[in-house]
Amino acid sequence: EAGVTQFPSHSVIEKGQTVTLRCDPISGHDNLYWYRRVMGKEIKFLLHFVKESKQDESGMPNNRFLAERTGGTYSTLKVQPAELEDSGVYFCASSQELAGGETQYFGPGTRLLVL
Amino acid sequence: SQQGEEDPQALSIQEGENATMNCSYKTSINNLQWYRQNSGRGLVHLILIRSNEREKHSGRLRVTLDTSKKSSSLLITASRAADTASYFCATDLDTGRRALTFGSGTRLQVQP
């Protein structure tokens, strides 16, 4: 079974440009999450999809970030326009709903550098 | 301090020794998960322990959970150089949300 995949693995852009990150969850996982780790900080939650619906977007930093999950399969996270402080590693995770707790499986991350 | 804070921040041991990492949290949880991250790689899930469990084992890993002290520990026995990585605890808070709250991690160095 394939794990969570993310594309691209690295992205270097200039301030003000747009970047779109993609996440393909494990097949059959309805729950999809975005997290990020900016330099020197903890991994922070951004948002949670259940199928195509945004269940919780309380961690989204501002309206420059837009996440979509059309069709309830893969998800994209767009940053427009990118700022220097957006640099970091963006992780995607997916899970199945299980009674008593669910394991979130993480992808390898996308390393974003905004210059 | 942060929810899900690990202790120590860094740990260096010799191959064959045991490594113990601790995690403390502040609020009620549904479960607590431990992850490993090798340098430049993604997060690998190690163990999930539910709030009604006290101990779980997986191979050389042993996780304990003390909800009265709001703390967990991860023990790696007979460590190997390949265990060198950062280890994070993440809590699934009892809030109805599914977001995991991560600590800052423990950097483990196992010397061959």
Side-chain angles (χ1 to χ4, degrees), chain A residues 46-105:
Chain A
L46 295 178
L47 88 159
H48 168 210
F49 283 100
V50 178
K51 297 184 180 180
E52 68 276 9
S53 299
K54 291 177 184 175
Q55 184 75 15
D56 179 358
E57 49 185 331
S58 61
M60 294 288 263
N62 52 61
N63 59 10
R64 295 186 294 103
F65 289 76
L66 176 63
E68 294 180 324
R69 193 183 182 196
T70 306
T73 54
Y74 70 92
S75 174
T76 58
L77 179 65
K78 181 191 290 187
V79 185
Q80 179 182 31
E83 298 290 344
L84 299 181
E85 63 265 25
D86 300 331
S87 296
V89 183
Y90 289 76
F91 292 103
C92 175
S94 72
S95 72
Q96 284 182 310
E97 188 78 19
L98 293 173
E102 55 183 38
T103 294
Q104 294 188 21
Y105 297 93

Side-chain angles (χ1 to χ4, degrees), chain B residues 32-95:
Chain B
L32 185 148
Q33 305 182 37
W34 284 91
Y35 289 86
R36 183 187 73 226
Q37 184 182 29
N38 293 80
S39 180
R41 301 287 186 89
L43 292 163
V44 175
H45 185 263
L46 298 177
I47 280 187
L48 179 153
I49 186 165
R50 297 184 175 85
S51 59
N52 61 353
E53 298 176 314
R54 292 296 167 257
E55 187 171 310
K56 286 189 83 168
H57 297 255
S58 176
R60 295 183 296 112
L61 305 180
R62 172 178 169 250
V63 168
T64 62
L65 178 64
D66 187 333
T67 53
S68 66
K69 295 181 179 179
K70 291 185 170 57
S71 67
S72 174
S73 67
L74 170 66
L75 168 66
I76 304 174
T77 60
S79 63
R80 305 167 181 167
D83 294 329
T84 295
S86 290
Y87 291 80
F88 298 89
C89 70
T91 49
D92 178 351
L93 304 181
D94 187 16
T95 60

